[in-house]
Amino acid sequence: MRRIRIVGAGECGLPLAHRLLAGGAEVTVVTDRDSEAVLSGSITSTQVKFPPALDLESAAGLDCWRSAAPQIAGIRFTMVVDRAVAMQWSGRFTRPARSVDQRTVFGRWLRAFADAGGKLSIATPTVAEIDRGTADYDLTVVTRADRELAACFPADSAWGLPPRPQRQLAALYLDGVVPDPDELGTYVTLPGTGEVISYPGLTGRPGTERRCEMVLIEARPGGPMDVFGGVGDPGERLRLARGLLDRLLPPALADRYREAELTDAGATLVGAVTPVMRRPVGTLPSGAVVLGGGDVVCRMDPGGAQGANSAVHCGFRYGEAILRHAHGPFDRDWMIAAAEPWLTDTAYPAARWTATVLDPPGPMQELMLAAAEDSRLADGFADTFARPANMTELAVGI
């Protein structure tokens, strides 16, 4: 029986752990919080999962919210200038997307993993401790890492990524928001200022989940939306967010959020994401190699709604590669080969797509303008959220 250690219990680590456990491996997940701590904590991100990722979860018995989570049928794109709509169109997904609070998801998946016989190690190990433990396992996969552990994975020099965050972020999970009448997610761009992204989701402890609205405010650093720095109080974050929406959005759109309240005391998150692309093989101080996945290797701004999907695909791709490798060593060459399909098919297109959405080049701007007059093009653009690799073909065809 292969012994696998997974560092991190998120969108990559937990699907990987479940897949390996179901395949007969002995799996240990190292994480800093147990199920109860996750459920009682603060939100960790925003997330929209599209059908390719949902299908993987469903096949593994992990899609526990298929009938409960509200469907996101597509995207309503709006460009706003001086509180007026400058351009608007709607595109529908081929199949609906969904969003479930990661606290709800991880809390349930952690408990199910332990109930199925998986081993949980609740700890925050140092690099030295991780290094010393490698001999106890056939393979260590790192899906979450602090700065010291992440530094064991060299940067991928082929990517010219910005050295600092492109947006300052504020996420809020809200009750009392008027639903979109067409079950669409909302993507509002305010040129030179930032974006407001909003969609229905599901939040709450397993068994008591309820609908909410998940709002992500993406502010260009130093701009008029960049107001959350240093603000730690959830109530003050909500007040600032409602003020921004009321001041910057058209009245008809701002009215949707006028009665909004936080779903719970942990329903806000502020911060920023510096995009990162690393090589998938890390070297520990002893010379031992570990396989990196998810955000450790490819970290993106959440505005493109790609991070959770990419991580899910990584977890399942790695799981299949490990289970196929029944007897051989998990050496550096194997790790590079195991990571390549995920990187090429999913992570790299998602990273390019995210960068394109945040700073649209000329062809993307032309596509957005054309979508306002062509519903088929609008639908095709919407579906690139689920399949980012299709963007190049779509842009060439306009």
Side-chain angles (χ1 to χ4, degrees):
M1 181 183 295
R2 308 312 294 266
R3 294 174 298 170
I4 312 298
R5 175 176 56 170
I6 301 168
V7 180
E11 298 283 14
C12 178
L14 285 173
L16 172 59
H18 278 271
R19 181 66 189 94
L20 292 176
L21 194 65
E26 180 182 305
V27 186
T28 298
V29 170
V30 182
T31 180
D32 60 348
R33 295 185 297 169
D34 62 13
S35 175
E36 179 57 34
V38 170
L39 290 168
S40 60
S42 295
I43 62 174
T44 56
S45 183
T46 57
Q47 63 290 306
V48 177
K49 288 183 182 173
F50 299 102
L54 293 172
D55 289 345
L56 290 172
E57 293 179 355
S58 180
L62 297 175
D63 184 7
C64 308
W65 302 274
R66 177 180 293 273
S67 61
Q71 295 189 343
I72 306 170
I75 180 173
R76 191 184 308 280
F77 178 86
T78 306
M79 180 183 292
V80 172
V81 179
D82 295 331
R83 297 193 70 204
V85 175
M87 179 177 63
Q88 187 173 76
W89 50 263
S90 299
R92 302 189 76 84
F93 302 139
T94 301
R95 293 162 57 201
R98 297 199 302 274
S99 180
V100 181
D101 187 337
Q102 288 182 336
R103 295 175 297 181
T104 307
V105 173
F106 300 163
R108 181 161 181 169
W109 285 355
L110 274 167
R111 189 169 296 159
F113 172 74
D115 290 345
K119 298 180 180 180
L120 278 177
S121 173
I122 309 301
T124 308
T126 65
V127 168
E129 290 169 335
I130 292 172
D131 199 359
R132 286 195 295 270
T134 54
D136 297 329
Y137 301 92
D138 296 300
L139 173 67
T140 293
V141 185
V142 179
T143 68
R144 183 162 297 175
D146 60 14
R147 183 172 298 181
E148 183 187 14
L149 181 56
C152 296
F153 296 84
D156 189 336
S157 59
W159 288 77
L161 297 173
R164 59 187 60 85
Q166 296 172 276
R167 298 291 189 271
Q168 295 294 317
L169 310 172
L172 305 95
Y173 288 10
L174 302 173
D175 289 324
V177 176
V178 178
D180 181 273
D182 300 313
E183 297 185 320
L184 301 178
T186 300
Y187 192 105
V188 179
T189 180
L190 299 100
T193 301
E195 299 80 32
V196 177
I197 303 165
S198 174
Y199 46 84
L202 197 72
T203 189
R205 288 174 173 270
T208 62
E209 300 96 333
R210 70 180 191 279
R211 181 187 178 112
C212 69
E213 188 79 8
M214 299 174 176
V215 177
L216 175 64
I217 297 173
E218 294 231 336
R220 289 185 178 270
M225 292 172 63
D226 186 4
V227 299
F228 295 94
V231 178
D233 179 69
E236 180 63 11
R237 291 174 178 174
L238 174 63
R239 188 191 69 79
L240 288 170
R242 287 197 299 201
L244 280 178
L245 299 177
D246 191 54
R247 187 167 67 253
L248 297 175
L249 299 187
L253 184 52
D255 283 348
R256 290 184 57 202
Y257 306 92
R258 205 168 299 281
E259 303 300 323
E261 297 291 344
L262 297 176
T263 59
D264 61 272
T268 66
L269 177 70
V270 300
V273 174
T274 300
V276 168
M277 193 68 71
R278 299 187 179 97
R279 297 192 182 277
V281 181
T283 305
L284 300 177
S286 69
V289 291
V290 291
L291 176 62
D295 285 351
V296 173
V297 175
C298 178
R299 186 172 67 211
M300 298 168 275
D301 186 281
Q306 296 302 311
N309 295 273
S310 178
V312 168
H313 280 274
C314 181
F316 282 103
R317 289 268 195 164
Y318 282 12
E320 295 303 320
I322 292 166
L323 293 174
R324 285 197 306 267
H325 199 62
H327 304 294
F330 295 110
D331 57 16
R332 182 182 295 272
D333 289 343
W334 177 87
M335 292 180 185
I336 293 171
E340 185 62 25
W342 166 63
L343 290 170
T344 301
D345 297 343
T346 303
Y348 291 163
R352 294 188 188 100
W353 159 237
T354 300
T356 300
V357 168
L358 290 180
D359 189 15
M364 171 72 89
Q365 295 176 27
E366 293 176 17
L367 188 152
M368 290 178 174
L369 289 170
E373 306 296 331
D374 185 339
S375 62
R376 289 177 299 178
L377 187 57
D379 291 346
F381 179 85
D383 249 0
T384 62
F385 278 87
R387 297 172 181 84
N390 290 355
M391 174 51 68
T392 300
E393 180 181 343
L394 186 67
V396 169
I398 64 174

